[in-house]
Amino acid sequence: MTLPRSMRYLAAATICIFVYLFVQISQTPPAKLRLPTGGGSKPGGFHHGQPDRDPLLDLSGEPAGPLRRVQGDNYAPRKADSARINATILSLVRNEELDDMLQSMRDLERTWNHKFNYPWTFFNDKPFTDEFRRRTRDATNAEVRYELVPAEHWDVPSWINPDLYQESVDLLASQGVQYMERQSYHQMCRWNSGMFSEHPALKDVQYYWRVEPKVHFFCDVDYDVFRWMQDHNKTYGFNINLYDSPESVATLWPETTKFLADHPDYVHPDNAREWLEDATRRPEHNRKAHGYSTCHFWSNFEIADLSFWRSNKYREYFNHLDRAGGFFYERWGDAPVHSIALGLFEDKRKIHWFKDIGYQHIPFFNCPNNPQCSGCVAGRFTDGESWLKQEDCRSLWFKYVGMD
C-alpha cells in the first residue's frame, strides 16, 4: 500500500530532525557534560573522573528522613513524659579540666542541648569537687550526673608485666609515639575502649554522645540526634576520620586476625573491611600497621548505641585485646579499637557521618558549608601544619561506604 504524499513528507522531515539532534549531541564537548555526584564503583563513592563538586567541601544539608524537633514543651527540662529517649551526653573528665569542660558545655548547650535538655553524665577516677559540680550544674538546665570510675575498671590489669611495660614505654617513646609515657593515657584508652559501657550508671542508657573538654561546636542543630539514630537504626555516628600512627598499633591487626580465625562467623557480611585494609596514603606514609590502614573514626566525637559495645561479639573481642596487653605495651587507642570492631562486626550502612555537626578538637575540624554554622571556615580540616591535611582519610570511607 502506497502512503499518501503528505505522510511521506512528514516521515522524511521526522528522520531529518532525528539525524540533526543525534549529530548535535555527539559533537557536544566533554567539558560541558556534568558527571553525577553519587556513584563511582561503590554506591555513594567517588567517580574516577572529576566530580562536579568536592564532597569534603559541600557539607550542607541535614540527615534525610523524619526529624524530631521541639514542639511546645516536649523537650522541657525534667519533664516526666518528654520526647527524650534513654540517652546521655557523656564525658570522662578530671577536676582540673573544669574550665575546658565548661567551654565544651557552653558550645553544645548553645548549638543543641538547650533545646533538648539531655542529661550530662560525667565520669572521673577521682571524686568530683564541689566547685566542679556547682559550675557544671550552672552551665545547663538539664540533669547532671557525677559518677566515679570503679578501681577495677581503671587500675592496670594484673596480667600486665611492669618491667615489659616500662621497656615498651621507653622504646616507643623514643620512636615518637605520643603519650606513650603517660600511664593514665593508657588507662583512659582501655576504659574508653571497653570498660565505660559496663559502668552501672549506664545500664539503662542506650545512646550516648561523647564530648571531651576543650572542644568546639559551630552549627545550630535543631533535631534530636538520638531519636534520629533510633529512627534510622544507626549504631554509630562519627565526625572526623583520620590515620593513626602505625607504631602505636603495630600488633593490633595481627591480634585481630587471631581473633577472627577463631570467630569467622562474627564478621558481618556487609562489613567495611576494605576501608580498614586500604593503605592508599601519601608516599611518605604509604605503609600499614601489619595489614591495618590505621584509618579510624576519631572517637573524641562519637554518637553511638551502647548495645553494640555490650554485644557478645564486642565483649569477646575487647577481652581478647585486653589480655594481649596492647593497651599498655603499645598505645592502642579506643579510636582504632572501636573502628576496627565496627568495620568488621557491624553493617556498614549503620554507621553515619554527621556532616552537619560543625566540630573541632585541636587540631582538626569538620566545618560544614551551612548557614546554620558560625565560627569556622567552610571546608577547613586543620589550622595546624600543612602536612596534617594528609591525615584526613574520610575519602577512603566515602570510597568504600559512601557519604551517609
Side-chain angles (χ1 to χ4, degrees):
M1 182 177 68
T2 303
L3 292 173
R5 181 178 298 176
S6 61
M7 293 294 291
R8 293 200 300 271
Y9 288 158
L10 180 60
T14 300
I15 291 171
C16 289
I17 293 171
F18 176 82
V19 170
Y20 173 79
L21 291 175
F22 178 81
V23 170
Q24 292 299 310
I25 292 173
S26 65
Q27 292 180 348
T28 301
K32 292 183 179 179
L33 296 178
R34 299 184 69 192
L35 292 172
T37 59
S41 59
K42 298 285 180 180
F46 289 128
H47 282 274
H48 294 295
Q50 178 65 33
D52 68 342
R53 63 176 175 84
D54 183 345
L56 297 183
L57 293 178
D58 185 7
L59 311 183
S60 59
E62 58 189 17
L67 299 174
R68 311 292 185 131
R69 293 188 165 101
V70 174
Q71 295 180 339
D73 67 346
N74 63 334
Y75 284 98
R78 295 171 179 77
K79 181 178 172 63
D81 58 344
S82 78
R84 285 184 292 275
I85 60 175
N86 289 333
T88 190
I89 305 164
L90 182 153
S91 185
L92 176 66
V93 58
R94 293 175 167 175
N95 289 306
E96 56 267 30
E97 297 175 302
L98 173 58
D99 288 338
D100 290 339
M101 192 69 241
L102 289 171
Q103 154 62 56
S104 303
M105 289 187 74
R106 283 192 293 268
D107 268 18
L108 191 58
E109 287 289 329
R110 172 179 53 81
T111 57
W112 182 72
N113 200 46
H114 79 278
K115 298 184 272 293
F116 298 97
N117 294 292
Y118 273 97
W120 288 81
T121 303
F122 294 114
F123 292 94
N124 193 349
D125 65 309
K126 302 287 191 299
F128 283 107
T129 64
D130 290 341
E131 181 188 13
F132 188 100
R133 292 169 179 261
R134 174 178 56 80
R135 293 181 66 189
T136 49
R137 282 199 184 103
D138 288 344
T140 178
N141 290 322
E143 179 187 358
V144 187
R145 305 162 183 170
Y146 304 91
E147 303 295 342
L148 188 65
V149 177
E152 60 270 23
H153 286 186
W154 191 259
D155 291 347
V156 178
S158 59
W159 56 85
I160 298 299
N161 182 310
D163 294 330
L164 179 57
Y165 167 62
Q166 190 57 54
E167 289 177 12
S168 301
V169 167
D170 295 341
L171 175 63
L172 294 184
S174 70
Q175 295 177 3
V177 175
Q178 197 174 23
Y179 307 129
M180 188 66 199
E181 69 282 2
R182 296 187 190 177
Q183 180 178 304
S184 62
Y185 193 88
H186 295 266
Q187 293 169 292
M188 176 192 70
C189 290
R190 177 176 179 261
W191 189 82
N192 280 325
S193 292
M195 309 309 296
F196 85 100
S197 59
E198 305 304 293
H199 197 288
L202 299 177
K203 67 182 178 64
D204 296 322
V205 176
Q206 183 177 2
Y207 296 96
Y208 69 95
W209 183 338
R210 178 170 159 185
V211 175
E212 298 209 343
K214 204 174 182 179
V215 301
H216 288 281
F217 296 93
F218 301 106
C219 306
D220 183 65
V221 178
D222 67 350
Y223 64 94
D224 184 340
V225 297
F226 294 127
R227 291 290 295 267
W228 189 89
M229 293 280 289
Q230 183 181 70
D231 290 344
H232 292 79
N233 193 26
K234 299 294 184 182
T235 297
Y236 191 84
F238 73 96
N239 193 273
I240 293 172
N241 207 323
L242 295 173
Y243 290 113
D244 207 347
S245 162
E247 294 82 5
S248 69
V249 290
T251 64
L252 177 56
W253 192 252
E255 285 297 335
T256 298
T257 56
K258 287 181 190 177
F259 179 80
L260 295 180
D262 293 332
H263 303 281
D265 55 316
Y266 282 9
V267 178
H268 196 282
D270 195 11
N271 61 72
R273 186 165 184 161
E274 292 173 302
W275 165 66
L276 295 171
E277 294 182 315
D278 186 338
T280 305
R281 305 181 67 170
R282 62 188 189 275
E284 62 267 29
H285 277 129
N286 190 17
R287 55 202 169 105
K288 295 195 253 187
H290 297 287
Y292 172 36
S293 71
T294 76
C295 193
H296 64 276
F297 307 121
W298 215 26
S299 58
N300 46 67
F301 175 109
E302 57 184 14
I303 301 172
D305 184 344
L306 282 160
S307 301
F308 182 80
W309 312 129
R310 293 168 178 156
S311 67
N312 288 335
K313 288 182 183 181
Y314 186 77
R315 297 316 308 168
E316 291 179 28
Y317 176 60
F318 170 76
N319 289 336
H320 174 90
L321 297 182
D322 201 20
R323 283 286 175 175
F327 291 109
F328 293 90
Y329 300 142
E330 294 180 4
R331 200 216 61 194
W332 295 353
D334 51 278
V337 170
H338 279 185
S339 301
I340 290 174
L342 288 159
L344 294 173
F345 307 141
E346 185 56 286
D347 182 343
K348 62 190 177 187
R349 297 187 189 92
K350 291 188 176 183
I351 301 171
H352 176 69
W353 176 37
F354 276 102
K355 62 189 176 203
D356 58 317
I357 299 180
Y359 175 73
Q360 180 199 23
H361 185 294
I362 295 172
F364 299 111
F365 292 82
N366 180 70
C367 291
N369 180 16
N370 189 324
Q372 297 299 106
C373 305
S374 62
C376 90
V377 178
R380 171 182 286 178
F381 178 68
T382 180
D383 56 3
E385 299 289 338
S386 59
W387 65 268
L388 289 172
K389 295 178 181 179
Q390 300 175 55
E391 297 303 304
D392 184 3
C393 63
R394 284 176 296 180
S395 61
L396 202 60
W397 177 258
F398 303 148
K399 175 182 177 182
Y400 292 112
V401 182
M403 294 180 65
D404 178 34

